Amino acid sequence: MLQRFSAAKQAGFQGVEILFPYDVAAPDLRRAARSSGMDIVLINCPPPNWAGGPRGFAAVPELRDRFRRDFERSVRVAEALSARHLHVMSGKAEGHEAMSCLIENLRWATARAPHLSLTIEPMNEIDMPGYFLSDFETAADVIDAVSAPNLGLQFDAYQAHMITGDVLGTWERYRTRVHHIQIAGCPGRHEPREGEIDYLAFFNALDAAQYPGWVAAEYTPRTTTEAGLRWMRQSRGAEM
């Protein structure tokens, strides 16, 4: 794990996401990142339960206390790593009570950690069945209801395509709420240089909007990470 920072730097990246950094000592991660000159951009909340338990529960009323305990731990890790964003996962839930719970928890969380950027991300129902936050309109409603400057949208272009079929249109509609962007090819969530999403058009739209944040490559390589990085070189060539 600690060697991945320098490998990412050598591959041409400037920062990293660590979805679940909780099994490695935070000081070790911080030293490895700093020695490689890499920013830690985002981590997920809550810590994972790899034994089959829920991967998120901010919208689950009966797990409100657990969410708040785990959020406190995630904040401590994010602070130790100087992570820019903390992605809050809603978990599996449905209905008005779940919506109220998510809004209440996020109001508490944004007040508890006003120095951190918190993000929420819609997940498509095919890859994440039962996930409460499954469309962009609901995510926008939650952000507007919480009305905190440190809460924003995590715009995953793969998820946008799976949910709406219109990445550019969805971006234009919700871009003022976006704090962070992720990309992947569709279908299959492989390298973003292939599939149904026109990423050159999307990158041009980001430039036109003067998007100031990070664009993270969150995908599963078809073979090795290094072998699949042609998409990044092609994108840079197109911009030049």
Side-chain angles (χ1 to χ4, degrees):
M1 177 65 185
L2 298 179
Q3 296 173 348
R4 296 181 183 182
F5 295 96
S6 59
K9 183 72 170 183
Q10 291 170 9
F13 293 95
Q14 297 174 317
V16 299
E17 293 183 0
I18 310 176
L19 299 187
F20 299 110
Y22 302 95
D23 292 333
V24 181
D28 293 340
L29 289 172
R30 184 176 62 247
R31 280 193 295 270
R34 289 180 176 175
S35 66
S36 301
M38 299 288 278
D39 288 338
I40 297 177
V41 179
L42 178 144
I43 67 173
N44 278 354
C45 170
N49 183 337
W50 298 121
R55 298 294 177 85
F57 27 81
V60 184
E62 58 268 27
L63 295 176
R64 181 181 284 104
D65 290 342
R66 180 178 173 184
F67 165 76
R68 297 190 180 194
R69 287 196 304 271
D70 280 8
F71 181 81
E72 294 283 2
R73 181 186 177 195
S74 295
V75 167
R76 290 194 297 271
V77 173
E79 290 173 342
L81 299 178
S82 299
R84 180 171 301 190
H85 302 296
L86 181 59
H87 170 212
V88 178
M89 303 181 73
S90 68
K92 293 184 177 182
E94 60 181 355
H96 296 297
E97 189 177 1
M99 182 73 161
S100 297
C101 178
L102 179 58
I103 292 171
E104 178 186 341
N105 275 335
L106 287 172
R107 284 175 175 163
W108 172 86
T110 53
R112 166 63 186 84
H115 55 296
L116 285 178
S117 166
L118 307 185
T119 64
I120 56 175
E121 176 189 359
M123 307 277 194
N124 76 84
E125 294 179 346
I126 295 174
D127 291 339
M128 191 74 77
Y131 195 75
F132 175 75
L133 206 61
S134 59
D135 65 84
F136 283 84
E137 184 174 358
T138 300
D141 289 344
V142 169
I143 291 169
D144 293 348
V146 174
S147 189
N150 59 323
L151 177 65
L153 182 64
Q154 187 164 311
F155 186 93
D156 187 312
Y158 167 85
Q159 299 289 352
H161 183 75
M162 292 289 290
I163 294 169
T164 72
D166 181 10
V167 173
L168 290 178
T170 306
W171 160 253
E172 288 298 332
R173 183 173 181 182
Y174 297 107
R175 64 183 177 87
T176 58
R177 298 176 177 87
V178 172
H179 281 195
H180 185 61
I181 290 174
Q182 294 170 325
I183 59 173
C186 188
R189 202 171 185 105
H190 298 304
E191 283 82 354
R193 64 182 172 85
E194 56 189 39
E196 302 167 357
I197 302 173
D198 185 348
Y199 272 112
L200 289 182
F202 181 55
F203 296 154
N204 287 335
L206 299 186
D207 288 342
Q210 297 183 325
Y211 167 68
W214 289 87
V215 177
E218 189 193 45
Y219 61 85
T220 302
R222 286 193 179 276
T223 56
T224 66
T225 301
E226 291 86 350
L229 287 177
R230 187 171 61 186
W231 66 268
M232 189 162 64
R233 293 191 292 270
Q234 290 174 335
S235 298
R236 287 173 172 169
E239 291 172 356
M240 293 172 64

